[in-house]
Amino acid sequence: MTEDIRNIYCVGRNYALHAKELGNDVPEEPMIFSKPTHALHPASGKLALPGDIGEIHYELELVVRIGTGYKPGMTVNELVDGVALGIDLTARDVQSQLKEKRHPWLLAKGFIGSAVLGPFRPFEGEEAFGALTFSLVKNEAIAQSGSPRDMIFSLQRLIDFIGTRMGLGAGDVIYTGTPAGVGPLTDGDTLEMKLAAGGKEETFGPLYVDLI
């Protein structure tokens, strides 16, 4: 239930190929930003987005939910109780302008509807999480695909980094980063998210993009 979500933490440049496709250096430590809870949007139905701020890019991500308060030394398996798919939507032109001014990214990352989130499934442990594969289908063609095996920073590293600096509690969620293949949305696009585990695949959506 999205109303139970407290904090939305997001990880930038956690897949090397994605960092390179945008011309960015691969980070040496996790890059963390956040979104307001007003940005949350379900993974199906009409996705109304601002059409007057330049290109809005899709970034498919695995999202984990924290089930209990973080304490140093706690493991992923003790802390995480759910996993879902989400899309971190980014106003790319706005982000580029903010980077040039050395300003925070919030205006580019936190607009209403910019945190698409599917339903959570039980977290079955860090090993099972590493075996997941996920993909984004845009207009019936695969636009992105990835696996957490390719993440630069492990889930444990992300949780320790965030937990020791900003805190983590029950109801917090972490968007763990996007693989390569991000791109712009246009009015009328249709999006579906797919999550595969143990030979079974679930589909979430569709989302219908409406630039207003």
Side-chain angles (χ1 to χ4, degrees):
M1 300 290 289
T2 57
E3 58 265 28
D4 297 327
I5 292 175
R6 297 176 60 209
N7 295 298
I8 303 171
Y9 295 110
C10 304
V11 185
R13 305 178 195 172
N14 200 26
Y15 287 74
L17 290 179
H18 169 60
K20 292 177 181 177
E21 76 177 344
L22 295 183
N24 296 317
D25 294 332
V26 175
E28 296 182 359
E29 66 178 15
M31 293 179 58
I32 308 300
F33 60 93
S34 64
K35 292 175 180 270
T37 54
H38 298 292
L40 289 166
H41 191 286
S44 62
K46 184 172 77 170
L47 177 60
L49 298 172
D52 59 352
I53 60 173
E55 287 191 349
I56 296 177
H57 283 206
Y58 54 81
E59 300 185 15
L60 179 68
E61 314 203 3
L62 283 169
V63 183
V64 296
R65 183 180 61 200
I66 303 300
T68 190
Y70 173 86
K71 294 180 181 179
M74 294 182 74
T75 67
V76 167
N77 292 345
E78 294 175 296
L79 287 160
V80 178
D81 71 356
V83 61
L85 284 175
I87 305 175
D88 164 21
L89 293 170
T90 303
R92 192 68 72 197
D93 295 333
V94 175
Q95 186 185 43
S96 296
Q97 294 166 8
L98 293 171
K99 285 180 179 179
E100 289 177 2
K101 297 176 181 178
R102 299 182 181 274
H103 288 181
W105 293 359
L106 185 58
L107 289 175
K109 289 285 192 177
F111 54 91
I112 293 172
S114 64
V116 173
L117 185 61
F120 280 95
R121 298 294 183 263
F123 184 77
E124 297 181 351
E126 190 172 17
E127 184 175 348
F129 176 80
L132 295 173
T133 59
F134 58 102
S135 59
L136 179 70
V137 178
K138 176 188 174 188
N139 301 331
E140 301 185 354
I142 295 176
Q144 281 186 280
S145 60
S147 168
R149 288 187 294 254
D150 298 324
M151 294 195 316
I152 297 170
F153 303 108
S154 69
L155 193 52
Q156 185 70 57
R157 175 76 188 281
L158 296 176
I159 284 175
D160 288 334
F161 188 90
I162 297 169
T164 56
R165 289 163 176 80
M166 289 164 278
L168 280 170
D172 292 346
V173 299
I174 303 173
Y175 281 64
T176 59
T178 191
V182 305
L185 293 172
T186 58
D187 192 55
D189 281 344
T190 300
L191 302 174
E192 290 184 318
M193 303 184 295
K194 295 182 180 291
L195 179 64
K200 297 181 180 179
E201 184 177 73
E202 289 185 89
T203 300
F204 306 98
L207 279 166
Y208 303 100
V209 176
D210 182 17
L211 298 182
I212 57 176

